[in-house]
Short mmCIF file of all heavy atoms in Angstrom, two decimals:
data_model
loop_
_atom_site.label_atom_id
_atom_site.label_comp_id
_atom_site.label_asym_id
_atom_site.label_seq_id
_atom_site.Cartn_x
_atom_site.Cartn_y
_atom_site.Cartn_z
N THR G 263 55.40 -206.79 -15.31
CA THR G 263 54.41 -205.88 -14.88
C THR G 263 53.42 -205.68 -16.08
O THR G 263 52.17 -205.61 -15.90
CB THR G 263 54.99 -204.52 -14.47
OG1 THR G 263 55.78 -204.74 -13.31
CG2 THR G 263 53.87 -203.50 -14.18
N ASN G 264 53.99 -205.50 -17.30
CA ASN G 264 53.15 -205.33 -18.45
C ASN G 264 52.27 -206.49 -18.70
O ASN G 264 51.11 -206.34 -19.14
CB ASN G 264 54.00 -204.99 -19.64
CG ASN G 264 54.46 -203.59 -19.69
OD1 ASN G 264 53.92 -202.70 -19.07
ND2 ASN G 264 55.63 -203.32 -20.36
N LEU G 265 52.78 -207.72 -18.52
CA LEU G 265 51.88 -208.90 -18.76
C LEU G 265 50.75 -208.96 -17.77
O LEU G 265 49.68 -209.34 -18.07
CB LEU G 265 52.80 -210.15 -18.66
CG LEU G 265 53.55 -210.53 -19.95
CD1 LEU G 265 54.41 -211.82 -19.66
CD2 LEU G 265 52.63 -210.77 -21.16
N LYS G 266 51.06 -208.61 -16.50
CA LYS G 266 50.00 -208.49 -15.49
C LYS G 266 48.98 -207.57 -15.87
O LYS G 266 47.73 -207.80 -15.79
CB LYS G 266 50.57 -208.13 -14.19
CG LYS G 266 51.44 -209.17 -13.53
CD LYS G 266 52.10 -208.70 -12.18
CE LYS G 266 53.06 -209.67 -11.60
NZ LYS G 266 53.62 -209.11 -10.32
N GLU G 267 49.33 -206.43 -16.40
CA GLU G 267 48.33 -205.41 -16.88
C GLU G 267 47.51 -205.90 -18.06
O GLU G 267 46.32 -205.62 -18.17
CB GLU G 267 49.07 -204.08 -17.17
CG GLU G 267 49.61 -203.40 -15.98
CD GLU G 267 50.22 -202.01 -16.29
OE1 GLU G 267 50.21 -201.63 -17.51
OE2 GLU G 267 50.73 -201.37 -15.37
N LEU G 268 48.20 -206.56 -18.99
CA LEU G 268 47.44 -207.08 -20.18
C LEU G 268 46.42 -208.10 -19.69
O LEU G 268 45.29 -208.17 -20.18
CB LEU G 268 48.53 -207.76 -21.06
CG LEU G 268 49.31 -206.76 -22.01
CD1 LEU G 268 50.48 -207.56 -22.60
CD2 LEU G 268 48.49 -206.04 -23.03
N ALA G 269 46.77 -208.97 -18.73
CA ALA G 269 45.85 -209.96 -18.21
C ALA G 269 44.62 -209.29 -17.61
O ALA G 269 43.47 -209.75 -17.80
CB ALA G 269 46.56 -210.93 -17.23
N GLU G 270 44.91 -208.23 -16.85
CA GLU G 270 43.74 -207.50 -16.20
C GLU G 270 42.94 -206.79 -17.25
O GLU G 270 41.68 -206.85 -17.18
CB GLU G 270 44.38 -206.44 -15.24
CG GLU G 270 43.34 -205.75 -14.46
CD GLU G 270 43.93 -204.79 -13.41
OE1 GLU G 270 45.13 -204.90 -13.25
OE2 GLU G 270 43.10 -204.03 -12.83
N GLU G 271 43.59 -206.26 -18.30
CA GLU G 271 42.77 -205.51 -19.26
C GLU G 271 41.93 -206.50 -20.17
O GLU G 271 40.70 -206.19 -20.44
CB GLU G 271 43.75 -204.71 -20.23
CG GLU G 271 42.99 -204.08 -21.41
CD GLU G 271 43.92 -203.26 -22.30
OE1 GLU G 271 45.02 -202.87 -21.80
OE2 GLU G 271 43.55 -202.96 -23.39
N LEU G 272 42.46 -207.59 -20.37
CA LEU G 272 41.77 -208.65 -21.28
C LEU G 272 40.84 -209.48 -20.40
O LEU G 272 40.03 -210.22 -20.96
CB LEU G 272 42.72 -209.52 -22.00
CG LEU G 272 43.63 -208.79 -23.06
CD1 LEU G 272 44.75 -209.67 -23.50
CD2 LEU G 272 42.74 -208.36 -24.26
N ASN G 273 41.00 -209.42 -19.08
CA ASN G 273 40.25 -210.20 -18.06
C ASN G 273 40.37 -211.69 -18.38
O ASN G 273 39.42 -212.41 -18.37
CB ASN G 273 38.74 -209.81 -18.24
CG ASN G 273 37.98 -210.17 -16.94
OD1 ASN G 273 38.58 -210.43 -15.91
ND2 ASN G 273 36.60 -210.10 -17.04
N ILE G 274 41.69 -212.08 -18.47
CA ILE G 274 41.97 -213.56 -18.57
C ILE G 274 43.13 -213.80 -17.61
O ILE G 274 43.81 -212.93 -17.26
CB ILE G 274 42.27 -213.94 -20.04
CG1 ILE G 274 43.55 -213.18 -20.56
CG2 ILE G 274 41.14 -213.79 -21.02
CD1 ILE G 274 43.99 -213.62 -22.01
#
Side-chain angles (χ1 to χ4, degrees):
T263 298
N264 280 336
L265 280 178
K266 291 177 185 177
E267 291 184 0
L268 285 169
E270 185 176 350
E271 178 178 337
L272 295 168
N273 201 14
I274 60 177

